[in-house]
Amino acid sequence: MVATGSLSSKNPASISELLDHGFYPGSLLNDFDYWDYVVPEPNLNEVVFEETTCQSLVKMLENCLSKSKHTKLGCSRVLVPEKLTQRIAQDVLRLSSTEPCGLRGCVMHVNLEIENVCKKLDRIVCDSSVVPTFELTLVFKQENCSWTSFRDFFFSRGRFSSGLRRTLILSSGFRLVKKKLYSLIGTTVIEEC
């Protein structure tokens, strides 16, 4: 069946039939204009779920940094820029949205880049009951502030010489590398933020 929108003026019977059934040429245009500007309402369940998932990712990242500060970083404090873990969690959700299992199929390797050397901090498995379909490598970066190394130099010479007195300051920049595990073309996506 093919529908066309052309009516010729040679057939006045068909036009009068349309007018009798309530069709007015202007009403069709108004109906189309109305639907062009209607924005679908967001699914509140999805919004709540995504926000909850984002917050749990933020907690996972903060726990990873907290555990690593004494064991792998040898410092007493890690200063994280405001909303850095929130931005990372949102990017992780965005990168996982195109995957068959979503975030559940993600394995995340968390690293810290200090003076062009990457130090492994942790491996986060989002759902151990799902076979991973992709890997994300998150690389935090250390802030390049000269005053922190200057301060650490002076404190290391006096009574504050303990290695655990050091404060690590993270940069607001980070790198996310996505690697698909089961892809014929082996797609890798690198995002520098």
Side-chain angles (χ1 to χ4, degrees):
M1 178 176 169
V2 177
T4 62
S6 61
L7 289 175
S8 88
S9 58
K10 294 181 181 177
N11 189 352
S14 62
I15 295 175
S16 64
E17 185 179 320
L18 287 173
L19 291 174
D20 290 341
H21 290 293
F23 172 78
Y24 296 100
S27 69
L28 182 61
L29 183 59
N30 290 338
D31 288 345
F32 284 130
D33 286 345
Y34 172 76
W35 290 109
D36 284 342
Y37 295 106
V38 172
V39 178
E41 292 184 29
N43 184 346
L44 294 179
N45 291 334
E46 277 184 32
V47 172
V48 169
F49 173 74
E50 187 170 316
E51 186 61 33
T52 304
T53 306
C54 189
Q55 289 307 316
S56 70
L57 262 175
V58 166
K59 291 290 182 202
M60 285 178 174
L61 293 170
E62 289 172 351
N63 288 339
C64 169
L65 290 171
S66 180
K67 283 188 325 189
S68 298
K69 71 180 175 184
H70 293 294
T71 59
K72 298 187 179 172
L73 299 175
C75 61
S76 59
R77 290 186 296 179
V78 177
L79 298 180
V80 181
E82 187 178 3
K83 300 201 182 206
L84 174 64
T85 52
Q86 179 81 24
R87 283 184 21 235
I88 293 170
Q90 289 169 345
D91 281 350
V92 167
L93 285 175
R94 183 179 50 78
L95 288 172
S96 65
S97 67
T98 59
E99 292 299 317
C101 297
L103 185 63
R104 295 176 60 221
C106 177
V107 172
M108 189 175 353
H109 301 279
V110 183
N111 301 315
L112 173 66
E113 186 178 292
I114 302 175
E115 298 171 0
N116 296 328
V117 176
C118 266
K119 190 171 210 168
K120 293 182 182 185
L121 300 182
D122 204 355
R123 179 176 181 260
I124 298 172
V125 179
C126 293
D127 188 345
S128 59
S129 68
V130 176
V131 175
T133 58
F134 71 105
E135 288 180 344
L136 286 176
T137 303
L138 167 63
V139 181
F140 286 106
K141 296 181 179 184
Q142 182 181 17
E143 184 68 46
N144 292 328
C145 288
S146 59
W147 73 269
T148 54
S149 38
F150 188 72
R151 183 200 62 214
D152 288 341
F153 172 75
F154 279 110
F155 282 137
S156 67
R157 296 192 171 261
R159 58 189 175 139
F160 298 110
S161 60
S162 167
L164 290 178
R165 291 282 181 188
R166 201 176 115 225
T167 298
L168 175 69
I169 300 174
L170 295 181
S171 166
S172 60
F174 61 92
R175 183 171 53 244
L176 266 176
V177 179
K178 177 181 176 181
K179 180 181 176 189
K180 292 185 177 221
L181 298 177
Y182 299 101
S183 175
L184 297 175
I185 55 175
T187 307
T188 301
V189 177
I190 300 173
E191 290 198 6
E192 190 98 18
C193 303

